[in-house]
Every structure is written in C-alpha cells, then in structure tokens.
Amino acid sequence: STVTPRPGFLALAVVDGGGSWELAWQAGSSSARDWKVASVLLGERSRPFRLEFVSLVDLDGPDHQGAGVDNVTLKDCSPAVTTDRDKEISCNFERDTCGWYPSHLTDTHWRRVESHGPGYDHTTGRGHFVLLDPVAPPARGRSACLLSRPQEPAAPEECVSFWYHLHGPQIGTLRLAMRQEGKDTPLWSRSGTHGNRWHQAWATLAHQPGSGAQYQLLFEGLRDGYHGTMALDDLALRPGPCWAPRRCSFEDSACGFSTGGQGLWRRQTNASGHAAWGPPADHTTETAQGHYMVVDTSPSALPRGRGASLTSEEHRPLTQPACLTFWYHLSVRSPGTLRVHLEETERRQVFSVSTHGGLAWRLGSVDVRVERAWRVVFEAVAAGVERSYVALDDLFLQDGPCPQPGSCDFESGLCGWSHLAWPGLGAYSWDWGGGATPSRYPQPPVDHTLGTEAGHFAFFETGVLGPGGQAAWLRSEPLPATPASCLRFWYHMGFPEHFYKGALRVLLSSAQGQLAVWGADGRMRHQWLKAEVEVASTEEFQIVFEATLGGQPALGPIALDDVEYLAGQRCQQPAASQGEPAAPRVSAPAAAGGAILFITLLVLLGLGRRCWLQRKRGCPCWSNTETTATGFDNILFSADRVILPASVTSDP
C-alpha cells in the first residue's frame, strides 16, 4: 500500500553496533495516494550500523490502510565520492543542508529544523536552520559537530560569515575551527547566552601559499547543561579577508590586530603560571585559562615615554552612531597611559587613562561616529616603572550611544553588565530578550522603556534553579567609592498567584564581601514596578542583581529594565502621582513598632473572642500572666522598598 492513515506515521531509525537508537527521519500520515521521495543524510559514523523502518498504523480503522517503502538506495558512502553540490559551504538550509553533515560521533546531534527551538530562522523568519537542542532527545554526549565537505582553497585568504543564536541560562560554548591535514585551528568561539536574537559573525581563513591542501570547517557545540539552544543559519564563503569583527574576546585568536612590527603586544594566558607580567585571569572567563592582549611597560621592554600600538583590521563604515566598549587592566604600579585612537582619514584620540590599577578589570567606552572604513588603535605609553603592564580584553562594537556607568535600558544589549555564570551559584546566567521574540522561557510581554513588545529587558527564569540556594548574578562594572548614590530600576515578577517562588535582591560587592541593601519576593502583580535604593561604599564596588528561589521551582521570570545609577546623588522622595499619594518613607523603629502594634491587636481580638464564647463557663477575660511581643530584627518593609538585614558574607 502507498498511503499512511491519518493517525499513523513512518520513520527511519539508525541502530549502531553499541545498541544506540537514533531517529533519522519521520513523516506523518497523508491522504495522498502517490509515492513520495525522501532523502536522509546519515553523516559520518565511526561504528557499523543498520537501518530500521518503523510504522504505526490503525489496523482497526474503517479505512484500513498501511505504509510502504520502495527503492531504498545508499549513495555516496565513500568519503572520496562527492559532487559539486556536496561541497557547498554557503547555505541557508532552506533546500537542504548543502555540503554540511553531522559527525554522529556522540549522542548529541545538529538537526535541520523549521521554525523550532529559537522559534524562527534568520533567512525568512519562517524557514529552516540547523539546531542543537540538548533536550530533544536527551543526549549523553557533551558535544556535537557539524562539518563541511573537504574544500580546495579559492584564495590565499577567504572569509566565512554566518549567523548564530545562543539562548538559555546554561547553554555552553559554540566553536568554529578549520581542520587541515588532521590539525584543528581555532577560528572563533562564543560562550554563554547572547540573548534571544540572531548575531552575525565572521572569521578569516588564512591558507599557506602554494600548499593546495584541502580543508574542512567544523562547528562544535559543547553544552554546560540542558537549559538552552544553539542554532546556525545563512553561512557564506567568499574570497578575501573579512571586516574586523564587532566582538573579540581573544580566546581563539588576536582577531586580526597587528602590532606594527614591534611585537610588544602579545596574546597570552596565565594558565601555565609562567607569564612574567599580566593579570592573573582574563575578563571573558575570569579564569587563568582565559586569553587577553597585554604589553609589558617595564623600562627594559619599553623605555619611558615610548608607545606600543595595537591596530585593528579595517571596520566597515557605520550607518549610525555606535559604542565601542573594551575592558582594560592596569598594573598596581603605574604602567603609564592607555590611549585609544580612531583612524578614518586621519587619526584622532578619543580616550585616555593614566592611573594605578589593581585587581579589577575596568570598562572603557568610546562613542564612534564615522562615515568611511576605519580602524581602532590602542596605544600604551610607558611611565618607566618596573613590573608594569597594560592589558585588554572583550572588545565590543554595538549600535547606539554609550550608556552611563552602571546604567542600561537594555535596548541594544546588557551594556556593561556581566551575566557570567558562577559555578558556585549553580552556573546559571541572566538572559536578554523582548516580548516580540518567540522564546521557550516565560518572559514579560512588554518592556518598560518602550512599553511595547518591541522593547527589550534583562531577565532570568527561576524555574531552572533547584533546591539548595542556587542563584544567578547580574553584575555592574566596577564603580568608584561613594558616600551616597542612588540606584533606580524597574523590575517585573511573573509568578503564579499564591506561590512564593522567586526572589530578587540587590547586593553591593567589594573586597570586603557582599552587602544586601534591597530585596523583593515573588508575591507581585504581573506589571513593572519601580524601586529606588541608596547605596554607599568606602571602596570600589559592583552592584549585583541576584535572582534566587524562595521555595520550590516554578516557571516565572524575574526581569529588569531601565537601570539608572546616579553617582553622587541621593535618592529623593518620589513625587505623588495625580490622584495617588506618595508612599511615605518609613523608618526602621516606626516599621517595627507598627508591626508590634498589629500583632498585639490580633492577640487582643483573639482573646476577646475566646472570652466571649466561654463567658457562660466563667472564663476570665484577662490572665495575670504578662506576654512579651516579639519584635522584628532590623527588617524594613515599605510600599516601594524592601530593605533586608545588612549582612556581610565572604566572596563565593
């Protein structure tokens, strides 16, 4: 029979020698009575395997029909047998997977899907892309590879561009490498969530002149957990080098930066412990294994007053103002001056800092307004001090003007706020998104800045947390000491009614530990609420938004928007809105006294009701025993503020 009944399906499974069963293809029922052609890419396999056709049909139905297969063939099973179509790297995945195939060396696989996972493809918004989803089906393997067919170099330099999607609180790492003569050369990587949207990336392939050796491109997804998805779409390969990347972490390469022949700047890691100078950890991973660029400004390496330049590749012209952010680390001993120049038709200085450093990476930002192709030049000018250095990490060019320190409306991203997952807190991270973008995680329908689904916000889904006090941190850049400054923000909690699940706290983190200065639990309405916190610190500090649990996990987001840090300004009493009185600022003794009075009234009412019911039996209304009301220990509640007990804990 040629027709599958409506309640059934036909599927193809691959079973390898180890007993692993994998669904490779399936088709639902159809009322059509003609034969259909199917093509299934089996990919590279390291063990013998067999194919199984599986069908489910309704044998007792009124229109009993079945399922059939015919003319099964295996094509191009030899790695040496390929066609021009098989060698295609440029691919939008609308027709098929072109020349890309999964390795099948682990239980985790890349799959071509249609509007699933991230919810939309990049090409058309309703088309196809390749997806790595660690929960469909649950996989034991930690990584999955997607490879191109062997290629002949078309030019000494080639540019591969692609769009990627990394979304979820525990997603892992996506890597791109070039495999040539059995050796993998890292080209590009991203770790952790990058928000619920597509990003473009590109990498230059440099080939040895005259070698003629074939190469393969390899995308590898390494998961950290089961919460998130990776996706790829719209791959393209062209001759010639790429533009300078908009984002660079120096984890895989120097991102095309040149040292002008001096070689004073170098890319390094402190994992070996043999580095003579430089930060002990990078900014990207905050570990000794991470990479950064650094220049030794000691007199023996760079005489006093001399400069060492680090110049980027050419950036494409910009159609609108942009913000270039970078993280810099200066030695404790004065390293001299770090200057930033923009080169368009001429060079102009746009940033300069000369101060003693410390243990922290600090954020620098430059507003970029250019109309032609341009470069950025970092220059370190030595001060003649021994054992001094200047280091750079995590460059990022984003649209829009640069925000003020500690502030963000989240329309273009997370600004200077770090969402790096902390292993000690459960290795979960905050995310970025908006109501208009489909998501597998609950989130507010609109943002606060625009008040529409087109706006964006930072959010965290507490449903992924387990018991045991796990949490996720969103941290500001290091901020200077302040006697009094005001932090304003809007927050949203979307938990089910009658549940106490999520909690949001504001911490001040410094070398002395963490100080809790504000908090709110999940018993909130599904709307944006304003909070205002006055902060003070005698030393450099970071503001930390901590999302955690107040009970058993439940689906429900905690979201933030329009964070504003007013340095040196005290918080003012909010003005009363029309028809609504302003919420009074309540002191701690008044709040405690009010709570004691409320509890006392409840006790008196209870005793009075009991005496009235038992009056016929002669129950005395008052006993001679005095009772002492229990007070609240340094806890303040108000209509728009919740101040938790101040407590200092050690760093995690």
Side-chain angles (χ1 to χ4, degrees), residues 327-389:
W327 291 83
Y328 62 92
H329 198 292
L330 307 180
S331 56
V332 176
R333 298 183 177 185
S334 177
T337 303
L338 172 63
R339 298 171 181 166
V340 181
H341 309 268
L342 297 183
E343 278 188 354
E344 193 176 1
T345 54
E346 59 184 20
R347 176 182 292 193
R348 55 189 172 93
Q349 181 177 311
V350 292
F351 179 89
S352 178
V353 59
S354 54
T355 182
H356 294 272
L359 300 178
W361 286 89
R362 292 173 175 83
L363 180 65
S365 61
V366 173
D367 285 303
V368 181
R369 295 176 180 267
V370 293
E371 297 179 353
R372 302 177 179 86
W374 58 285
R375 302 177 189 269
V376 58
V377 181
F378 295 93
E379 182 186 25
V381 181
V385 178
E386 291 289 346
R387 299 186 63 80
S388 59
Y389 63 82

Side-chain angles (χ1 to χ4, degrees), residues 154-515:
E157 288 184 316
E158 296 178 288
C159 178
V160 58
S161 63
F162 55 94
W163 290 81
Y164 69 95
H165 195 289
L166 289 174
H167 176 45
Q170 196 182 45
I171 182 55
T173 300
L174 177 62
R175 296 176 179 172
L176 171 64
M178 182 172 66
R179 178 171 293 177
Q180 197 169 32
E181 297 179 338
K183 179 183 178 182
D184 289 351
T185 302
L187 300 175
W188 175 94
S189 72
R190 293 288 182 268
S191 296
T193 181
H194 280 64
N196 190 17
R197 67 173 172 180
W198 290 95
H199 302 267
Q200 187 178 23
W202 47 86
T204 299
L205 313 179
H207 305 294
Q208 293 294 331
S211 66
Q214 291 187 326
Y215 70 92
Q216 287 178 280
L217 293 180
L218 165 70
F219 282 101
E220 182 182 22
L222 296 104
R223 64 172 177 82
D224 286 342
Y226 292 96
H227 302 291
T229 53
M230 301 182 186
L232 292 168
D233 203 0
D234 294 330
L235 281 66
L237 181 68
R238 62 169 176 82
C242 302
W243 292 103
R246 294 177 69 94
R247 187 189 297 266
C248 179
S249 65
F250 301 111
E251 288 307 300
D252 304 284
S253 68
C255 300
F257 276 89
S258 64
T259 60
Q262 297 174 316
L264 297 175
W265 285 87
R266 58 179 290 185
R267 174 176 166 266
Q268 76 171 28
T269 175
N270 259 318
S272 63
H274 299 309
W277 29 262
D282 77 325
H283 178 264
T284 311
T285 68
E286 299 188 8
T287 67
Q289 289 74 30
H291 294 79
Y292 51 82
M293 296 294 292
V294 65
V295 57
D296 185 359
T297 55
S298 302
S300 58
L302 193 65
R304 178 184 175 89
R306 290 279 300 275
S309 296
L310 183 68
T311 306
S312 75
E313 294 179 314
E314 207 169 44
H315 284 269
R316 66 174 59 183
L318 300 177
T319 58
Q320 60 179 318
C323 177
L324 174 66
T325 60
F326 53 91
W327 291 83
Y328 62 92
H329 198 292
L330 307 180
S331 56
V332 176
R333 298 183 177 185
S334 177
T337 303
L338 172 63
R339 298 171 181 166
V340 181
H341 309 268
L342 297 183
E343 278 188 354
E344 193 176 1
T345 54
E346 59 184 20
R347 176 182 292 193
R348 55 189 172 93
Q349 181 177 311
V350 292
F351 179 89
S352 178
V353 59
S354 54
T355 182
H356 294 272
L359 300 178
W361 286 89
R362 292 173 175 83
L363 180 65
S365 61
V366 173
D367 285 303
V368 181
R369 295 176 180 267
V370 293
E371 297 179 353
R372 302 177 179 86
W374 58 285
R375 302 177 189 269
V376 58
V377 181
F378 295 93
E379 182 186 25
V381 181
V385 178
E386 291 289 346
R387 299 186 63 80
S388 59
Y389 63 82
V390 175
L392 287 171
D393 204 0
D394 288 333
L395 281 64
F396 182 38
L397 180 67
Q398 59 183 339
D399 296 332
C402 295
Q404 294 297 315
S407 302
C408 191
D409 63 7
F410 301 108
E411 289 308 304
S412 299
L414 293 176
C415 307
W417 291 81
S418 171
H419 63 305
L420 184 69
W422 281 63
L425 298 177
Y428 298 103
S429 61
W430 284 70
D431 217 323
W432 179 91
T437 308
S439 174
R440 64 166 53 188
Y441 303 103
Q443 57 187 20
V446 299
D447 79 324
H448 176 263
T449 310
L450 305 179
T452 69
E453 64 177 15
H456 297 86
F457 42 77
F459 74 98
F460 181 75
E461 170 50 60
T462 60
V464 303
L465 297 176
Q470 293 177 335
W473 280 3
L474 185 67
R475 296 173 296 152
S476 74
E477 62 191 271
L479 301 169
T482 175
S485 295
C486 187
L487 173 68
R488 296 172 182 167
F489 59 94
W490 291 80
Y491 65 101
H492 185 287
M493 291 186 174
F495 294 92
E497 296 294 334
H498 311 299
F499 282 89
Y500 175 66
K501 300 298 179 184
L504 176 66
R505 293 202 303 168
V506 175
L507 312 176
L508 303 185
S509 178
S510 66
Q512 297 181 355
Q514 284 80 47
L515 176 68

